[in-house]
Amino acid sequence: MKTFYCDLEITLDVIGGKWRPLILYYLIKGPKRTGELKRLIPSISHKMLVQSLRELESNNLIIRKMFNQVPPKVEYAISEMGMSLEPTLRALCDWGQDYAEKTWNKDDYRRLNVE
């Protein structure tokens, strides 16, 4: 049993890290296969992507659907619990955009719109 000292610790334990929020962000837009997620997040390794997907699934934030076909097909979708994070993820996106505009030169970063 884990001990938490504030509610933020619980949130960070479930969705924290570099990759899990990004995966959730893309799955909120619609179901994706592993390869699609890899293309959307090119800097994540295959091993880390699979590990993050398993963690999100075990936390009931995403649903893994396996199709009985050859070659095997697996698709990931956001769950109802995961969808409840949409306002939080949108707020984080807005904050990031505002932060970048106020503190960085336009030459210091590049934001690609791959949505």
Side-chain angles (χ1 to χ4, degrees):
M1 183 166 152
K2 293 183 181 179
T3 302
F4 297 100
Y5 296 95
C6 74
D7 295 336
L8 181 58
E9 285 184 80
I10 298 168
T11 305
L12 292 175
D13 186 62
V14 174
I15 66 162
K18 185 174 182 177
W19 306 115
R20 285 181 270 175
L22 276 171
I23 293 167
L24 290 169
Y25 171 82
Y26 286 117
L27 290 179
I28 282 172
K29 297 171 185 281
K32 306 274 184 290
R33 294 179 65 184
T34 310
E36 291 175 277
L37 288 167
K38 180 69 177 108
R39 279 189 293 282
L40 290 167
I41 313 169
S43 52
I44 191 171
S45 70
H46 181 75
K47 178 184 175 191
M48 186 55 66
L49 176 59
V50 170
Q51 179 181 329
S52 298
L53 288 167
R54 286 182 182 147
E55 290 167 352
L56 289 167
E57 184 184 13
S58 72
N59 287 327
N60 300 312
L61 298 180
I62 65 171
I63 299 163
R64 180 179 190 262
K65 183 176 181 183
M66 220 172 143
F67 296 86
N68 193 13
Q69 66 183 52
V70 176
K73 176 181 173 184
V74 177
E75 189 176 80
Y76 294 92
I78 197 83
S79 69
E80 189 175 330
M81 180 64 74
M83 199 62 185
S84 70
L85 286 164
E86 184 180 19
T88 303
L89 293 173
R90 287 204 185 278
L92 287 169
C93 289
D94 293 343
W95 186 89
Q97 180 179 357
D98 187 52
Y99 177 84
E101 289 172 358
K102 289 180 179 176
T103 60
W104 295 347
N105 283 325
K106 297 248 187 252
D107 297 336
D108 290 342
Y109 74 100
R110 181 174 56 142
R111 191 178 81 214
L112 301 174
N113 290 321
V114 272
E115 304 168 23

